[in-house]
Structures are given as C-alpha cells and as structure tokens.
Amino acid sequence: MSVTKIPFPYYRVKKGENLKIISEKFHIDSTKILLDNNLSPKQIKEGVFIKIKKS
C-alpha cells in the first residue's frame, strides 16, 4: 500500500499577511477569496484558515 499526499484546501494566514499578499501568492482574485470564504477583508487576520480554490 502506498501513501499518497492529499492537497489540503485551506491556507492558514501568517503574521503580516493581508488579502493582497495572499491573492498575489496564489494568483487568485481577492474578491474570489472573500466570496468563497464568506468573509470581509477585515476578517483576514493572523491564524485564520481560508479556503483556496484554484478553479
């Protein structure tokens, strides 16, 4: 039996990161991130898990 790595669809926001930095890092529009997670830009803080969908 082999072990396969399953991609984790969530990203934990690190200290000093904001919505602009995260959208540039993953090449995703910032409004898509907000809509997928049902968050406002002020809720993107250190330690929050956000779902990243690349489609």
Side-chain angles (χ1 to χ4, degrees):
M1 178 174 6
S2 65
V3 177
T4 58
K5 187 174 182 177
I6 299 170
F8 191 63
Y10 293 94
Y11 175 74
R12 187 172 187 182
V13 180
K14 295 178 178 73
K15 185 175 185 177
E17 287 184 329
N18 58 18
L19 186 60
K20 182 179 178 186
I21 293 171
I22 294 169
S23 65
E24 289 173 357
K25 185 176 190 177
F26 291 103
H27 307 291
I28 301 173
D29 188 31
S30 59
T31 54
K32 181 166 176 33
I33 293 172
L34 294 176
L35 291 173
D36 287 345
N37 293 286
N38 197 21
L39 295 172
S40 72
K42 291 183 179 183
Q43 292 175 314
I44 306 281
K45 298 178 184 175
E46 178 185 355
V48 172
F49 281 96
I50 55 173
K51 184 179 257 187
I52 302 291
K53 286 199 259 182
K54 295 232 175 183
S55 56

